[in-house]
Amino acid sequence: MKFFRIAEYKLLAYRLGLAYLFYFLARVAFYAFNHAHLSVTGVGEFFRLAFYGLLFDTTAIIYVNLLFIFLSVLPLLRNTKSTFQKVLFWVYFAFNLPAYLLNFIDVAYFSYNKTRLTTNDWALVENEHNPLTLLAGFLVQYAAIFGAFLFLAGLWVFLYKRMKIVEEEVGEKKPYFVSSSVVLILLAPTLIFGIRGFSFKAGVIPLTVMDASKYARDISQVNILLNTPFTIFRTMGKNKGFKEFKFTTEAYIAQNIKPIKQYQREVPTKPNVVVIILEGMGAEYFGVMNQKTNIPHYRSHTPFLDSLAQQGYYFTNIFSNSIHSIEGISAVTAGMPTFQTAWVRSGYAQRKVSSLAEVARSLGYQTLFAHGATNGSMNFDGYTHQIGYETYLGRTEFNDDRFYNGSWGIDDEPFLQYFAQNINTMKPPFLATVFTLSSHGPYTVPEKYQNRFNTGDIPMHNVTEYTDLSLQKFFETVKKEDWYSNTIFAIISDHTTDDYYDYYKQKIAHHRLPIIFFSPNKNLIPQGSSDVLGQQIDIFPTLVDLMGYQKPFRSWGRSLLSDKTDETPRAFVTHTQFYQLIQGNYIYVLDLQGELVGVYDKTDLNLTQNLKDQVGQNEEMKKGIADMRAFIQDFMDRIINDKLQ
């Protein structure tokens, strides 16, 4: 007989305690697999982060276990019965194991993303025709990580079953219901208290992703403090990342940020433009991009592109404004950088925006965009039509699945030849853009080349070499065509991906990209190179300039080949939890509210020595912070208030 339910409440505490234990073990796994990207000075530092991480674990555990908690405490008279306990078991693990799996997906994905997953990342798969196939490939590729998940999940189930409740009949029902009701009344505010981050202070909002920075001594540590269910829950249903700021005046923005560009290049004959966007191929893989990095035993994986760059004009100090492919495409084609939330995946993406295709069409260009993925993948086809590309070529138009790679789409070699064939049907001047595919995970080299491209240190090296060969064959094909001699080729990556060398595992260096301009006509593109600071969104105004467009247009980037001296070289380095700016001698890091987090020397690519204490005596630092805030203000204003065109 029982009146009070002490044993049940102890069992509930034990089961919730298991969740805390296994979230801690997931944090250990996260650090173990990603320590190269995380700055932790020792075991004590890790446990300090794990302790503060309990704030974020509590929120996630309560969200995930709300149904289980209420079923456990509701006075149902039969709570200790074996049948009811079985129901609780299945409810517990039906919610906890999928949430726990998110942590391990993040263990694998973090080396690519460099930040915790959010609901923004769902857009990467929601338009895919084969998400289960992609997930299966992902699990195989990271078998060790998911083996760890399965082991820990099995251990969790084992420990859950170790503590059982003895079946008891309810004695006097009145004290049973009264005591249970008191617990329920107290439970609701307790859960809210935990979800909010143990605070009911007036004016204090519930715990958010940004709160992790309060407990981090290095930017990378926020990823140890957080857990993936928390970042998913806290970014649900948010178009957010977009809010208006009032840091400065419009006059300051116009003078220092110059969001409206205008060039006066005289172009007697409009050149054709071919833009080649490389999937995931950061500067690390290019020999010409690493002549000054002093990486021991470095080797290039792009022999053809290296030779092409040396015949054209290439830039070695360019940084990415995007993390994912669709963001990279919008950065290149419309000059739109990505921070907390990608504009291209927000509700604002349906509005008009200045774009390369729009400018080209105003000058009489035909426009085409080609990508070998299944049509609808990441909504590339819809996006490119929206910004002005008249024709889209994908896997459907290619219409020959003998060359389908089994996961994403058509292998690069045949698709680039198909792209060349379609260029030949266009009337000059034209803008033709292609986005390669084979260097995307799971990094599959076509069977006929597997004995040739198999010596890379990581799988990405092998597919990079294959894409490089595919581009060599593409150029061998197109150089025979009449239009070739009056064509500018612009080559850039959509984002960076796997790092092999320690130099590129640094927080800022990870985002270095190649930009290569080439033309057989040296009057269009001279021969040379530059280490001037630049960014991915600079390619949009550079090509607008090279096409001879002389009207004003919106761009936060600048033409890399203009002789204008009043445009400041800078790079807004992408991050979903901070704003990062390289300008002049410093790297600036601000949180999502525009508050200063750190200032670092431009050579401190891993952000190790924070110089923010020097800001008060350093005018250049003050100017850099003011410029970053001015950009944030203008960026948000133009998105929210429909001023992107």
Side-chain angles (χ1 to χ4, degrees), residues 307-523:
S307 70
L308 189 75
Q310 291 168 334
Q311 298 171 56
Y313 204 99
Y314 61 95
F315 293 84
T316 63
N317 197 24
I318 305 298
F319 292 86
S320 176
N321 304 116
S322 60
I323 294 174
H324 306 118
S325 293
I326 188 60
E327 299 160 10
I329 300 304
S330 66
V332 171
T333 60
M336 294 296 296
T338 292
F339 300 100
Q340 181 184 7
T341 302
W343 161 81
V344 73
R345 294 202 302 259
S346 74
Y348 300 113
Q350 301 304 313
R351 296 176 174 179
K352 291 288 186 179
V353 61
S354 293
S355 71
L356 188 59
E358 177 201 43
V359 169
R361 288 178 67 180
S362 74
L363 293 172
Y365 281 66
Q366 276 192 283
T367 57
L368 176 153
F369 191 98
H371 179 48
T374 302
N375 293 51
S377 176
M378 296 195 194
N379 201 31
F380 290 131
D381 47 0
Y383 166 74
T384 55
H385 278 302
Q386 179 191 328
I387 65 167
Y389 281 95
E390 298 160 285
T391 303
Y392 182 89
L393 303 176
R395 179 183 171 193
T396 299
E397 290 75 19
F398 183 81
N399 196 31
D400 189 345
D401 272 359
R402 290 179 301 160
F403 302 102
Y404 176 58
N405 70 1
S407 55
W408 286 101
I410 306 301
D411 292 323
D412 282 347
E413 182 185 358
F415 194 79
L416 285 168
Q417 293 299 315
Y418 173 68
F419 176 57
Q421 293 167 14
N422 279 272
I423 293 176
N424 290 336
T425 67
M426 301 178 75
K427 181 180 177 181
F430 56 74
L431 166 66
T433 304
V434 66
F435 177 31
T436 65
L437 178 142
S438 294
S439 46
H440 193 291
Y443 310 125
T444 304
V445 174
E447 185 176 354
K448 71 175 182 177
Y449 289 116
Q450 288 180 359
N451 292 328
R452 178 172 177 178
F453 300 124
N454 61 3
T455 61
D457 297 294
I458 55 176
M460 180 65 180
H461 290 167
N462 298 327
V463 290
T464 295
E465 292 172 8
Y466 165 67
T467 295
D468 184 72
L469 174 69
S470 301
L471 286 165
Q472 179 180 346
K473 293 189 173 186
F474 167 77
F475 274 89
E476 289 171 354
T477 296
V478 300
K479 70 181 181 181
K480 304 170 187 175
E481 304 300 332
D482 292 340
W483 53 264
Y484 179 74
S485 61
N486 188 44
T487 300
I488 295 170
F489 294 87
I491 301 170
I492 189 171
S493 301
D494 62 335
H495 55 73
T496 59
T497 179
D498 294 352
D499 307 315
Y500 176 68
Y501 297 106
D502 288 342
Y503 175 90
Y504 283 97
K505 292 176 181 178
Q506 298 179 96
K507 300 178 185 71
I508 300 298
H510 168 76
H511 295 288
R512 280 188 62 219
L513 293 179
I515 287 185
I516 300 168
F517 294 102
F518 167 78
S519 177
N521 183 345
K522 298 309 174 188
N523 292 321

Side-chain angles (χ1 to χ4, degrees), residues 79-99:
N79 299 64
T80 61
K81 302 291 185 184
S82 61
T83 53
F84 188 81
Q85 288 298 311
K86 287 179 181 178
V87 170
L88 286 180
F89 172 88
W90 287 109
V91 169
Y92 182 86
F93 284 109
F95 284 90
N96 274 294
L97 289 187

